[in-house]
Amino acid sequence: MVKILKMANTADFFSGSAYDSIFLEKTPASMSNEDFERLAYTIKQRYGLNLEGKKSMVESRLCFYIVDRGFHSFSEYLETVYENGGDEMANIINRLTTNYTYFMREQEHMRHFIDVFLPYAEKHKTDKELCIWSAGCSFGNEAYNFAMCAEEYFQSRGADWDKRILATDISQNAILAAKHGMFAEAALKDLPAAWVEKYFTGKGGIYTVKPEIRSQVVFKYHNLMDPISFKKKFDLIICRNVMIYFDQKTKSELIKRFYDATNEGGYLYIGHAEAVPEDCPYVREKTAVYRKITQAGGVQKHG
Ligand SMILES: C[S@@+](CC[C@H](N)C(=O)[O-])C[C@H]1O[C@@H](n2cnc3c(N)ncnc32)[C@H](O)[C@@H]1O
C-alpha cells in the first residue's frame, strides 16, 4: 500500500515534524504477490521481459511514479493500466526497461564490422544498400557508433551507398532521447578523440551527433515480440544485451524471426555475455557473431 503524503504547513516543516512524516509516511510501497504476478505475466506475454524474482525492482521503479500520479495503491494504479491499456503500459515499460548502453561497447563487433562485414557487403551488395538493424537500441549509442564505423570504412567511397541503420526499441523515452542525439560529455569518454571532433558538436558539456551521422540512423518503435514486417531483409542484425531479459523460449522464437529476416550470408551480433539457444539456425562464426549460411544459398563461408 502506498501512503500519500499529508500536506504539511511551513511551521511543521521547519519544526522537523513534517520532515519526519514525509520520510515515515512515504514508506517503500509494496505490491501484493497477486498484483505482481499479474503484471509480470502481462509484461512477459507482451514484451518478453522476464520479471521473475524482480518484485522489489518493480516496486522501487514504479512507487514514486504512482504516488506522483495520485494513486493510493499499486492495485488501484494497475486496474487503470489494465482498463486503459496503451499509454499507461508505455509508461510502465519506460520505467521497467533497463536502457544501460554506452559508446564503443563490445568493440570486437566494431572490428568485425570494419574488417569482415563491410568488405563482404561492399563486394556482394550490388544494389549498394546496406540493411542494418540495431534491435533494442536504447539511447542510440550503438546505432550511431556503427554509423561512425561505416563512415570511417567507406570514407569518400560512401557517397553512392545507402548506409542507413534502422534502430528500434520498446522504450518510447529511449527512442525520443536517441532521436535528439544529445549526450553528456562523460558519455563520449571511450570514443577516439578524433571521432568526437569529427562526428559531434559540443556546447556546455552536451554533445550532439552531427547531422551527417544522425541522418544515417532511423529510429522506430518496435516490440521484438511482434512479427518482423520491415520491407527488406537485413544484412546485419545487431541485438546485443537485450535477450538477457528474455527466457529460453522467447529467445528461441526471436532468433528464428531474426533468421527469417536475415539475407543469405548476413550476420547476427549478440552480446558477448549472451548465448544463443540450442536450436539456433545461424552458424557460429566466432564469439557473439553468427551468420546465415544455407546450403541452397551457396554463400562461401568467407566470401
Ligand atoms: C541494456 S539495453 C541494450 C542497448 C544496446 N543494445 C547495447 O548493447 O548497449 C536493452 C534494450 O532492449 C530494449 N528491449 C527490451 N525488451 C524489448 C522488446 N521486447 N522489444 C524491443 N526492445 C526491447 C530495452 O528497452 C533496452 O533499451
Side-chain angles (χ1 to χ4, degrees):
M1 176 79 177
V2 178
K3 290 188 181 172
I4 299 297
L5 299 178
K6 277 194 269 172
M7 282 301 287
N9 66 38
T10 321
D12 275 349
F13 193 86
F14 287 108
S15 72
S17 63
Y19 183 82
D20 287 346
S21 79
I22 284 171
F23 285 92
L24 289 174
E25 294 204 19
K26 203 162 187 175
T27 49
S30 68
M31 192 184 255
S32 70
N33 287 340
E34 297 74 53
D35 278 340
F36 173 70
E37 270 155 33
R38 183 172 175 201
L39 180 63
Y41 176 81
T42 308
I43 288 189
K44 189 167 170 189
Q45 291 297 108
R46 288 196 204 165
Y47 305 100
L49 298 174
N50 187 3
L51 296 175
E52 210 180 308
K54 296 189 178 159
K55 184 164 174 275
S56 327
M57 185 270 278
V58 172
E59 286 169 342
S60 65
R61 289 197 186 178
L62 294 180
C63 75
F64 290 105
Y65 171 69
I66 72 173
V67 169
D68 282 348
R69 293 288 314 274
F71 291 96
H72 299 84
S73 67
F74 273 114
S75 304
E76 191 189 341
Y77 171 67
L78 291 172
E79 275 320 310
T80 307
V81 173
Y82 299 130
E83 273 165 27
N84 299 346
D87 287 352
E88 208 37 65
M89 190 49 99
N91 286 329
I92 293 192
I93 288 301
N94 281 335
R95 280 166 181 81
L96 294 188
T97 47
T98 299
N99 310 117
Y100 181 64
T101 186
Y102 53 93
F103 285 110
M104 303 306 279
R105 189 174 198 178
E106 303 187 35
Q107 290 179 36
E108 298 86 340
H109 282 139
M110 288 167 205
R111 263 283 54 92
H112 182 274
F113 184 68
I114 290 173
D115 292 347
V116 181
F117 172 75
L118 288 174
Y120 160 77
E122 195 174 17
K123 187 168 162 196
H124 292 273
K125 294 287 295 189
T126 46
D127 56 0
K128 298 203 170 208
E129 185 180 3
L130 294 180
C131 292
I132 300 172
W133 179 16
S134 164
C137 63
S138 186
F139 300 123
N141 307 50
E142 179 177 272
Y144 287 133
N145 216 163
F146 278 91
M148 290 171 204
C149 291
E151 208 56 34
E152 292 293 314
Y153 172 82
F154 280 107
Q155 309 231 350
S156 57
R157 301 192 312 285
D160 46 353
W161 278 80
D162 181 350
K163 307 189 271 349
R164 277 173 304 174
I165 297 176
L166 170 69
T168 64
D169 206 284
I170 43 165
S171 165
Q172 309 267 19
N173 281 357
I175 293 174
L176 195 64
K179 280 182 181 166
H180 284 107
M182 292 164 90
F183 298 91
E185 191 172 359
L188 313 187
K189 67 177 174 30
D190 296 327
L191 283 164
W195 289 22
V196 174
E197 179 78 14
K198 199 165 161 190
Y199 300 124
F200 291 84
T201 49
K203 206 173 170 196
I206 301 292
Y207 283 69
T208 307
V209 181
K210 283 189 180 168
E212 303 88 273
I213 293 295
R214 278 190 29 219
S215 63
Q216 301 295 317
V217 184
V218 180
F219 290 101
K220 283 199 169 128
Y221 174 91
H222 174 77
N223 179 358
L224 290 169
M225 296 294 281
D226 291 341
I228 298 171
S229 53
F230 299 113
K231 278 191 215 117
K232 299 207 168 174
K233 289 194 178 192
F234 297 94
D235 304 306
L236 169 62
I237 298 177
I238 305 163
C239 186
R240 306 186 305 169
N241 309 301
V242 179
M243 288 185 277
I244 33 168
Y245 303 104
F246 300 165
D247 67 12
Q248 283 302 319
K249 181 169 171 283
T250 308
K251 222 192 287 189
S252 174
E253 288 166 357
L254 175 59
I255 294 257
K256 289 199 184 97
R257 284 196 293 279
F258 278 160
Y259 190 78
D260 291 341
T262 304
N263 280 322
E264 175 67 27
Y267 288 87
L268 169 72
Y269 293 168
I270 64 167
H272 282 76
E274 297 174 296
V276 291
E278 272 177 17
D279 59 356
C280 171
Y282 287 95
V283 174
R284 182 183 181 278
E285 184 168 299
K286 56 188 273 213
T287 307
V289 175
Y290 292 81
R291 197 166 183 205
K292 178 168 177 173
I293 303 174
T294 59
Q295 296 286 327
V299 171
Q300 284 169 11
K301 211 163 175 243
H302 296 287

